[in-house]
């Protein structure tokens, strides 16, 4: 087999995988799902999903990758009947869709970084004219895809790992400084209270499926990104501790993002928190106003740091999304990495054009589809998110669990995890992963997948 490259150390892998996990989902999505979903009550549901459902799936994905040292399509083919490669293809499809819209939002983040540097705080009020400016956003999205492709073209240790080792510590430094700063603002405490006071009456079924979709998306699970990263992991690495550290980092940063964000909103609204439940768009509409009120010098510094943070977080995630189809083309079609990278990147950019047009630039893409029983139309980018994040990722998690437990077989999974973790076999954790992968994950993920699809696209709610 050709030399595929690999991570240079366990830490390098953890950084890269945590970099994949920590992204717009943490900074853009999580805080507002919490705000809208009952504060701490949502956090409890979310944590249960992360550690009971997602962690076993994450361990399984990494184990499948490390065992086969292949991309998802090749990996399912190698360990099971060749029909299982369909799950790999589904993951590939899902990853391509996610990257196609994610890159557009990353382009917004990067564009805002530039605008903040230039002191253009009015951009917050002009968000919709910004997103419908195809030339501008298209340009920023091009720069973003180009940077992503550049990193991936440098390979695993020289590209992905190296970028993560620079970007992740910087990101943590920026987010901690901004959080510390946010705490010094007036009304900070009201913001934190809004964020964290539990309200269990808000836990309805949509909140539960949002929590599940959010958990899968935030941890980069369900489409084989971690199968791919796992394929570059050394046999002596401990998969269980790595996965636990990746999950803790991801959850930790999402949590801190809320501690940073809500004091900002509280400051702007004088503690009334009006509009704070309005959704993830807040980052792009409200925050520039906050930065403006800090005065021109401080505003430029804090504002540009914030959007730089967002761009860095997005970059280590787009890198992991691009690596999946690239690994597929390299392994299965024997194409040189550098060539595969540029081919795939250009293709995904083109697939992203409808998303680029779906936030005001084109009426067709901006009101693309009306679900059964829905009152208003959904734009293409949101539609893609509903299909990929909320439906295909949990479905992927369901199929990956079934595959590992019943096609590849549990004892092989346990065997692989035991490599680099001698005391694993026979331990309590092994028992838990066994039960989770063969019963808990398939049952819950399968049920939630069906309920989510019925409720999201057909307006049929069986529960809640
Ligand atoms: N986890 C990233 C975020 O929170 C996004 C992401 C990167 C992703 N790779 C993925 C999501 C693979 C699903 C699957 O922003």
């Amino acid at each position: 087999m050709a030399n595929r490259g690999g991570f240079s150390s366990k830490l390098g892998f953890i950084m890269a995988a945590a970099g994949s996990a920590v992204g717009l989902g943490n900074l853009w999505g999580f805080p507002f799902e919490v705000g809208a979903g009952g504060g701490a009550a949502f956090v409890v549901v979310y944590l249960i999903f992360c550690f009971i459902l997602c962690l076993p799936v994450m361990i399984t994905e990494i184990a499948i990758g490390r065992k086969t040292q292949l991309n998802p399509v090749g990996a399912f083919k190698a360990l099971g009947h060749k029909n299982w490669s369909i799950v790999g293809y589904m993951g590939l499809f899902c990853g391509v869709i996610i990257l196609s819209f994610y890159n557009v939002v990353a382009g917004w983040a990067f564009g805002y970084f530039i605008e903040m540097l230039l002191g253009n705080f009015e951009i917050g009020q002009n968000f919709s004219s910004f997103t419908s400016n195809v030339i501008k956003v298209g340009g920023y999205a091009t720069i973003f895809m180009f940077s992503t492709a550049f990193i991936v073209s440098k390979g695993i240790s020289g590209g992905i790992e190296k970028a993560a080792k620079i970007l992740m510590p910087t990101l943590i430094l920026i987010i901690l400084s901004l959080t510390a700063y946010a705490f010094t603002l007036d009304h900070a405490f009201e913001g934190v209270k809004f964020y964290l006071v539990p309200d269990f009456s808000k836990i309805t079924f949509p909140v539960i499926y949002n929590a599940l979709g959010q958990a899968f998306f935030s941890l980069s699970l369900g489409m084989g990104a971690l199968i791919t990263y796992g394929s570059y992991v050394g046999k002596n690495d401990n998969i269980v501790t790595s996965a636990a550290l990746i999950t803790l980092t991801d959850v930790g940063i999402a949590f801190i993002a809320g501690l940073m964000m809500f004091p900002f909103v509280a400051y702007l609204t004088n503690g009334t928190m009006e509009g704070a439940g309005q959704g993830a768009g807040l980052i792009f509409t409200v925050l520039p106003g906050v930065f403006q009120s800090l005065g021109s010098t401080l505003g430029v510094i804090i504002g540009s740091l914030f959007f730089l943070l967002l761009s860095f977080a997005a970059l280590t995630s787009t890198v992991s999304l691009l690596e999946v189809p690239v690994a597929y083309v390299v392994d299965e079609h024997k194409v040189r990495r550098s060539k595969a990278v540029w081919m795939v990147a250009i293709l995904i950019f083109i697939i992203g054009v409808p998303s680029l047009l779906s936030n005001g630039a084109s009426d067709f893409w901006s009101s693309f589809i009306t679900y059964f029983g829905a009152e208003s139309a959904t734009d293409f980018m949101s539609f893609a998110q509903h299909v990929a994040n909320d439906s295909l990722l949990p479905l992927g998690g369901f199929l990956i669990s079934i595959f590992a437990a019943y096609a590849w077989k549990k004892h092989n999974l346990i065997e692989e995890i035991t490599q680099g973790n001698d005391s694993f076999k026979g331990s309590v954790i092994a028992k838990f992963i066994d039960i989770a992968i063969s019963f808990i994950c398939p049952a819950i993920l399968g049920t939630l997948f069906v309920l989510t699809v019925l409720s999201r696209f057909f307006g049929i709610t069986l529960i809640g």
Side-chain angles (χ1 to χ4, degrees):
M1 190 171 37
N3 184 7
R4 303 169 74 245
F7 292 109
S8 70
S9 65
K10 181 178 169 186
L11 183 68
F13 163 61
I14 293 175
M15 288 245 207
S20 166
V22 173
L24 298 171
N26 302 58
L27 303 168
W28 185 52
F30 182 80
F32 296 100
E33 299 256 0
V34 176
F42 179 93
V43 178
V44 171
V45 176
Y46 185 75
L47 287 178
I48 292 175
F49 282 161
C50 284
F51 286 93
I52 307 283
L53 294 177
C54 295
L55 190 56
V57 175
M58 183 185 286
I59 290 170
T60 304
E61 280 203 28
I62 299 172
I64 292 174
R66 190 176 69 173
K67 173 74 188 172
T68 57
Q69 307 199 359
L70 286 170
N71 66 91
V73 173
F76 284 105
K77 219 184 293 178
L79 295 181
H81 188 269
K82 75 176 189 321
N83 286 347
W84 277 102
S85 62
I86 293 172
V87 181
Y89 282 112
M90 196 183 90
L92 223 57
F93 171 77
C94 187
V96 166
I97 298 297
I98 293 179
L99 181 54
S100 76
F101 67 72
Y102 199 93
N103 186 61
V104 174
V105 182
W108 297 349
F110 180 67
Y112 264 58
F113 165 63
I114 305 286
E115 301 289 339
M116 289 296 118
L117 277 182
L118 299 174
N120 177 14
F121 298 111
E122 284 73 40
I123 185 122
Q125 289 124 47
N126 302 326
F127 178 59
S128 47
S129 55
F130 173 77
T131 60
S132 54
N133 187 335
V134 177
I135 305 288
K136 224 175 185 179
V137 176
Y140 289 131
T142 305
I143 297 175
F144 214 90
M145 186 62 94
F146 189 88
S147 315
T148 305
F150 178 76
I151 294 172
V152 175
S153 74
K154 297 288 170 205
I156 306 308
S157 59
I160 296 179
E161 179 176 340
K162 202 164 156 192
K165 279 185 168 161
I166 299 169
L167 296 175
M168 287 305 283
T170 316
L171 178 152
I172 290 175
L173 201 71
I174 300 179
I175 197 172
L176 290 179
S177 326
L178 286 176
T179 308
Y181 178 72
F183 270 72
T184 66
L185 295 171
D186 290 344
H187 305 291
F189 183 67
E190 277 119 296
V192 174
K193 214 163 82 187
F194 174 86
Y195 179 38
L196 291 178
V197 170
D199 176 358
F200 284 95
S201 70
K202 285 200 183 146
I203 301 288
T204 55
F205 185 66
V207 170
I208 292 190
Y209 72 64
N210 280 340
L212 183 71
Q214 174 67 27
F216 263 77
F217 184 81
S218 185
L219 291 166
S220 303
L221 288 180
M223 51 135 304
L226 287 165
I227 295 182
T228 310
Y229 272 18
S231 75
Y232 304 115
V233 168
K235 288 286 181 196
N236 297 327
D237 287 2
N238 183 329
I239 297 181
V240 176
T241 53
S242 303
L245 282 170
I246 295 162
T247 305
L248 284 173
T249 309
D250 187 61
V251 171
I253 297 217
F255 184 74
I256 295 173
L259 291 180
M260 163 183 71
M261 211 75 77
F262 286 102
F264 277 139
V265 179
Y267 171 71
L268 190 78
T269 58
N270 285 322
T272 65
M273 301 308 286
E274 214 167 303
Q278 180 192 95
L282 233 69
I283 271 195
F284 293 106
T285 53
V286 171
L287 286 185
V290 178
F291 301 139
Q292 180 166 32
S293 64
L294 303 177
S296 55
T297 316
L298 198 58
V300 167
I301 296 174
I302 303 284
S304 48
L305 266 184
F306 178 84
F307 287 103
L308 188 66
L309 164 73
L310 211 56
S311 305
F312 280 2
L315 187 56
T316 46
S317 299
T318 50
V319 158
S320 77
L321 285 159
L322 183 60
E323 176 57 27
V324 178
V326 165
Y328 163 75
V329 175
V330 170
D331 292 344
E332 305 297 310
H333 298 283
K334 312 284 175 244
V335 176
R336 220 171 1 102
R337 168 171 285 270
S338 53
K339 191 171 156 199
V341 167
W342 296 105
M343 265 169 36
V344 174
I346 291 171
L347 182 72
I348 294 179
F349 186 86
I350 295 169
I351 297 175
V353 169
S355 292
L356 183 63
L357 298 176
S358 74
N359 290 279
S362 132
D363 287 341
F364 175 75
W365 297 109
S366 302
S367 40
F368 179 66
I369 187 172
T370 306
Y371 302 145
F372 290 102
E375 267 145 36
S376 54
T378 302
D379 66 278
F380 182 81
M381 191 194 265
S382 306
F383 172 65
Q385 289 179 9
H386 297 157
V387 171
N389 307 3
D390 301 348
S391 314
L392 291 183
L393 294 180
L395 176 64
F398 167 78
L399 292 169
I400 288 167
S401 319
I402 301 269
F403 170 81
Y406 305 105
W408 184 26
K409 301 276 191 288
K410 283 185 296 199
H411 65 268
N412 290 318
L413 172 66
I414 301 288
E415 206 62 57
E416 181 60 32
I417 302 172
T418 305
Q419 292 243 2
N421 182 1
D422 297 333
S423 58
F424 179 72
K425 203 189 268 180
S427 68
V428 183
I429 305 177
K431 212 70 253 108
F432 163 66
I433 291 176
D434 180 333
I435 297 172
I437 287 301
S438 34
F439 301 110
I440 307 177
C441 294
I444 298 186
L445 293 175
T447 311
L448 283 178
F449 166 72
V450 173
L451 293 176
T452 302
V453 170
L454 287 177
S455 137
R456 173 70 89 186
F457 301 106
F458 299 96
I460 302 171
T461 352
L462 301 179
I463 305 176

